[in-house]
Amino acid sequence: MQVTVSVRHGQLGDDIQQQLKEKGEKLLHFFSRLTMIEITVDLHRTHDGNMSVEVRATAEHKHEFVGSDHAEDVLAAFNKAAAHVKQQVTHYKEKIQDHRRDMDYGGNNGSK
């Protein structure tokens, strides 16, 4: 699994980039089929002083989960964006697991 951090309109310190990579890898705990996580940090501050972070997680079979958020601190914005992705990933995982459980093999939908 590959985690990449890219920055627009400036540079981030190596320590913050390493923290973002480590936190990005934690998304694997929720869904092990993630193949790539891209973290994009935009250091251009908006009129209210916030920076934006986008987290894009790609899973097998071309499923993509995207979360973005704004905050004054890069790590705070990342945590919010990663929470959005975590919610999407867990919902997708529940959906595919429930789909397998609800399969009707007998053709009678459980009725007698």
Side-chain angles (χ1 to χ4, degrees):
M1 206 260 322
Q2 179 180 355
V3 178
T4 60
V5 177
S6 60
V7 182
R8 295 183 195 147
H9 301 112
Q11 294 181 349
L12 280 178
D14 291 336
D15 55 336
I16 293 178
Q17 286 189 23
Q18 187 62 33
Q19 285 179 343
L20 291 175
K21 283 184 181 183
E22 289 172 2
K23 288 183 177 212
E25 289 174 353
K26 289 184 181 180
L27 289 172
L28 278 174
H29 295 294
F30 303 104
F31 192 57
S32 61
R33 294 184 182 174
L34 294 177
T35 57
M36 182 167 49
I37 298 173
E38 298 172 90
I39 303 166
T40 305
V41 179
D42 190 352
L43 295 177
H44 178 74
R45 293 191 180 267
T46 59
H47 62 281
D48 55 355
N50 290 338
M51 296 175 279
S52 66
V53 174
E54 179 182 87
V55 178
R56 185 176 300 263
T58 307
E60 294 175 350
H61 307 296
K62 299 188 180 186
H63 292 287
E64 193 167 76
F65 310 99
V66 180
S68 63
D69 215 310
H70 306 334
E72 290 184 17
D73 180 43
V74 172
L75 293 176
F78 172 81
N79 289 336
K80 292 178 187 177
H84 295 299
V85 172
K86 175 187 161 193
Q87 182 181 13
Q88 293 173 34
V89 164
T90 53
H91 177 73
Y92 174 73
K93 185 177 177 181
E94 289 171 2
K95 179 181 168 184
I96 62 173
Q97 287 177 341
D98 287 345
H99 175 57
R100 278 187 267 155
R101 239 180 262 134
D102 293 342
M103 282 187 154
D104 179 22
Y105 292 107
N108 59 8
N109 224 3
S111 60
K112 294 184 179 185

